[in-house]
Amino acid sequence: MNDAPRPLALVTGASGGIGAALARELALHGHDLVLAARGVEEMRALAVELGELGATATVIAADLSKPGAAAALAEDIASRGLMLDVLVNNAGLGAAGRFDRIDPDRIAEILQVNIVALTELTRLVLPGMVARGHGRVMMVASVAAFQPGPRMAAYFASKAYVLSLGEALAYELRATGVTVTTLCPGATATKFFEVAGANHSVMARRLRRMMGADRVARLGYRGMAAGRRIVVTGTMNRVLALTGRYAPRRLTLPVTDLLMSD
Ligand SMILES: NC(=O)c1ccc[n+]([C@@H]2O[C@H](COP(=O)([O-])OP(=O)(O)OC[C@H]3O[C@@H](n4cnc5c(N)ncnc54)[C@H](OP(=O)(O)O)[C@@H]3O)[C@@H](O)[C@H]2O)c1
């Protein structure tokens, strides 16, 4: 019998989509889980499923759009005597439309969840990992991180921040035993487009061609376990990422505008 303690992973945005798939993948690879999001019922159901895979899962209700939510979550985890080996910053959302017409509160929510909470949580969790000389952090960005995105401008910009932060932290921490992997999925079949109000976009109408969240999670986990700095899911998405990074803006801006249009 193996009595070695199971590593513990926190997944934010674990109530569905890519986060839930990452939690399953982590459980399959021997991790216990802390699941955090607003959707407590969904996470409780997931915890039962993870239990059948041999994992213990703790469910914590967290609205990461509220200032101070990351600190409250970190305190809640510490007060239970739990120590994280893996942090997966997955919670995120977008909003489609011309920037000047999007509800300002919605934009604030995007910035708070995608950028502020992710940054604060990472800052709070890293010192313990560095002190212990091991740990893995995953930042869920997007292929959107590689270029500006008309009709979803704040979302694309938020993911550029996540990628930039992730790459820099991976470099800073290279000699500490802590790795930072930025996962960049392309369009994935989750509730993302519905939540973003982008269900009618050219991109979303191609949904049947989108990758499943389980495949994204498998590729992400594999890359994180190997300590890779960036994981772009799938060949087409790698082409998109390279194009986004290196092609002239006069080409990428109108193409993205078209993909995000109705
Ligand atoms: N789907 C795609 O095409 C795609 C592509 C590239 C990158 N991504 C990224 O992948 C990540 C996961 O998205 P998804 O595709 O799985 O979409 P999803 O199905 O809409 O899941 C989003 C997750 O984020 C959580 N979340 C949203 N607002 C939150 C808040 N205020 N507090 C706490 N948690 C919150 C949601 O939980 P609750 O609503 O229960 O709080 C949910 O678990 C996001 O960072 C997204 O930007 C998605």
Side-chain angles (χ1 to χ4, degrees), residues 13 15 17-18 38-39 62-64 90 141 155 159 185-186 188 190-192:
S15 61
I18 294 170
R38 293 166 303 181
D63 183 350
L64 297 172
N90 163 76
Y155 175 74
K159 292 301 180 179
T188 306
T190 68
K191 286 192 181 150
F192 174 82

Side-chain angles (χ1 to χ4, degrees), residues 10 23 30 44 68 72 76 155 171 179 189 218 228-229 232 240 249 262:
L10 164 62
R44 283 200 183 125
D76 192 329
Y155 175 74
Y171 187 80
T179 61
R218 268 199 306 279
R228 285 176 53 197
R229 288 191 188 168
V232 181
L240 278 177
R249 292 290 189 241
D262 285 351

Side-chain angles (χ1 to χ4, degrees), residues 18 80 84 92 132 145 149 153 168:
I18 294 170
R80 294 169 196 247
L84 297 174
R132 293 189 291 278

Side-chain angles (χ1 to χ4, degrees), residues 181-185 216 219-220 222-224 228-233:
T181 299
T182 304
L183 174 62
C184 299
V216 170
L219 294 170
R222 194 191 301 164
M224 183 181 73
R228 285 176 53 197
R229 288 191 188 168
I230 301 180
V231 176
V232 181
T233 56

Side-chain angles (χ1 to χ4, degrees), residues 80-228:
R80 294 169 196 247
L82 299 172
M83 241 175 351
L84 297 174
D85 301 287
V86 179
L87 165 63
V88 178
N89 279 304
N90 163 76
L93 72 157
R98 218 176 76 179
F99 184 75
D100 59 303
R101 295 175 183 153
I102 296 175
D103 180 352
D105 289 343
R106 190 68 170 167
I107 292 172
E109 195 182 341
I110 291 171
L111 301 185
Q112 195 69 35
V113 176
N114 297 13
I115 294 180
V116 178
L118 168 142
T119 307
E120 291 179 349
L121 198 53
T122 306
R123 173 61 185 83
L124 290 165
V125 168
L126 273 178
M129 289 183 172
V130 171
R132 293 189 291 278
H134 73 89
R136 301 211 180 274
V137 177
M138 179 188 287
M139 308 286 204
V140 180
S142 167
V143 287
F146 294 92
Q147 62 183 87
R151 294 181 199 249
M152 238 203 218
Y155 175 74
F156 276 61
S158 75
K159 292 301 180 179
Y161 171 91
V162 174
L163 175 62
S164 177
L165 183 74
E167 285 195 79
L169 295 188
Y171 187 80
E172 278 185 8
L173 297 170
R174 67 195 179 284
T176 64
V178 179
T179 61
V180 180
T181 299
T182 304
L183 174 62
C184 299
T188 306
T190 68
K191 286 192 181 150
F192 174 82
F193 285 91
E194 187 190 324
V195 172
N199 252 347
H200 300 292
S201 63
V202 171
M203 171 108 68
R205 282 188 273 122
R206 289 160 52 89
L207 189 72
R208 63 194 136 76
R209 301 231 193 120
M210 284 186 196
M211 195 180 276
D214 48 353
R215 172 124 189 264
V216 170
R218 268 199 306 279
L219 294 170
Y221 178 82
R222 194 191 301 164
M224 183 181 73
R228 285 176 53 197

